[in-house]
Amino acid sequence: MAENPDHCSYAELFIGGRWRKPAAAERITVISPHTEEPIGQVPAAGDEDVDAAVTAARRAFDDGPWPRLALAERMGKVADLAAIYGRHIDGMADLITAEMGSPRSFSRLGQAAGAASMMHLALAAARDFPWVERRQGVLGEAHLRRAPVGVVGAIVPWNVPQCLIMPKLIPALIAGCTVIVKPAPETPFDALWLAELVEQAGFPEGVVSVITGGPSVGEALVRHRGIDKIAFTGSSATGRRIAAVCGEQLKRVSLELGGKSAAIILDDADITKTVTGLKTASLMNNGQACVAQTRILVSGRRHDEVVDALATMMSSLRVGDPSDDATDIGPLVAQRQQQRVQDYIRSGQKEGARLVIGGEDSPAERGWYVLPTLFTDATNDMRIAREEIFGPVLTVLTYEDEDEAVRIANDSDYGLAGSVWTADTAHGLEIAAKVRTGTYGINMYMLDISTPFGGFKQSGLGREFGPEGLDEYVELQSVLCNGKLPPL
Ligand code: NAD
């Protein structure tokens, strides 16, 4: 591929490990969320490109060397990729900031460095993973072998793009799968740059493809009979549709979907520390985080104090150019997203919640900005309490006692994340056991990329990270023997 120093202009797709001209002439123009000016273009793949990528991946899986290499050799190649990637963390962070407006303070650590760590942690998990084991069965000793699941289609959204590709691509590659990555049309550049790095690492033909495009490209991948497994992150609505197609074809599927997480502030919590913790837990990445703690549950006894402290913290946040290191809140990814968040703010007011700070007016003449916005006097049946807003908007709900707090936290279609803030961590653990979410924080909410992550209820199926993240890319084969098995 030709020199492309800023990684913002691609004429070709990465199909089967080679740069190829797309079948169709259609292009995607990426618009800067800060300036509203175009920043570059990529091809929009067509059905023929999807088919070419799947055919290459199928051939590489069925007949190529990759799944047949020794595990150590595959891990060595992934480690080469991790080493190359590690040299580009700052550049990758800046590219993601340009594409989707994540403040640089977040995109360094929470996007690019996080993605690099995911590669190393997946390699570490693979070292201890039980690829083969022996078990005493009723008929004799059984040999259990974990085989690669096959050709994987990895479909991701735009909010933390590299951190969503890595927990799919890397464990799949280590397991011996071949992979086709489909990024969101808002963030194609980071994925195509990753393709360049994959090319430099030198994977065998067909093992990795990156094809850019919108929902129709994702849909074509999901429907393609050559794919064995879809690994998807995105909205619950799309996840439901993908699961239906996969169900019809009995294709493996894992889903990381939306959330509407509740932060329960108990009466014994230190409010200053709690609000400092919520600054990140609720508002990271401009509030565009599936795990954002956006329902703030507080008792009537401490309501005013918490609302005042939240309002002070949120008004002090610096809103502006995401490439400025001092910025806390950048623009939302797209005008469509800004309008969606503004619509939620209007609906909160219409439904009778009280706007404490912020509002629907954009603070800038240019760029898709929304001010940090705080609602209180809300009830859990309002749209701002039930639906995922995906912007810097928090809703305070009041509870009478802890049972009611837990009931409100659980009264949600989602079950992705949650947190409790208390002076008594043992009690925090008791609260965690009552809340139906895949991850939980006591006096914090951060995602630990070495522990299993995924959702209860409509927040998904399956887990990423740790050995459980590898489980998603293997099929378990039991081998029985009429005679003695050789030692392992
Ligand atoms: P989305 O579901 O609209 O799109 C996600 C991806 O799916 C994109 O690449 C899109 O092009 C593709 N797509 C859309 N329709 C498709 C279809 N019918 N078939 C196949 N692919 C299709 O998601 P979004 O609204 O852009 O992203 C935000 C959502 O992602 C939020 O709901 C957020 O909570 C969720 N998310 C979840 C996690 C998690 O780990 N649980 C992490 C980040 C984001």
Side-chain angles (χ1 to χ4, degrees), residues 63-148:
D63 304 314
W66 187 250
R68 289 153 198 91
L69 287 179
L71 173 66
E73 286 184 73
R74 286 200 301 272
M75 288 174 63
K77 190 51 73 190
V78 170
D80 291 347
L81 174 61
I84 295 170
Y85 195 89
R87 296 200 281 274
H88 299 291
I89 288 176
D90 284 354
M92 190 58 90
D94 289 345
L95 186 60
I96 294 171
T97 290
E99 283 174 314
M100 53 71 65
S102 184
R104 196 184 228 167
S105 53
F106 183 79
S107 62
R108 293 268 146 119
L109 214 66
Q111 305 250 23
S117 299
M118 287 174 189
M119 301 171 98
H120 294 289
L121 288 166
L123 285 165
R127 278 180 212 112
D128 299 328
F129 193 67
W131 296 101
V132 285
E133 59 181 309
R134 291 288 163 81
R135 185 180 299 175
Q136 196 55 44
V138 284
L139 300 177
E141 197 185 18
H143 176 86
L144 305 189
R145 168 178 171 262
R146 285 171 173 84

Side-chain angles (χ1 to χ4, degrees), residues 254-278:
S254 48
L255 304 169
E256 295 287 346
L257 308 177
K260 187 73 189 176
S261 299
I264 302 177
I265 303 177
L266 296 183
D267 281 350
D268 64 355
D270 176 327
I271 301 302
T272 306
K273 284 189 187 157
T274 299
V275 168
T276 304
L278 289 176

Side-chain angles (χ1 to χ4, degrees), residues 8-9 27-42 94-102 158 184-189 288 322 331-338 366-369:
C8 282
S9 170
R27 313 266 296 155
I28 296 169
T29 301
V30 177
I31 310 284
S32 157
H34 173 57
T35 64
E36 299 183 28
E37 298 290 333
I39 55 173
Q41 283 197 332
V42 298
D94 289 345
L95 186 60
I96 294 171
T97 290
E99 283 174 314
M100 53 71 65
S102 184
W158 44 264
E186 294 83 357
T187 50
F189 301 134
Q288 299 167 127
L332 300 184
V333 65
Q335 188 169 35
R336 181 190 73 248
Q337 188 67 16
Q338 182 196 37
R366 240 179 15 158
W368 299 311
Y369 289 90

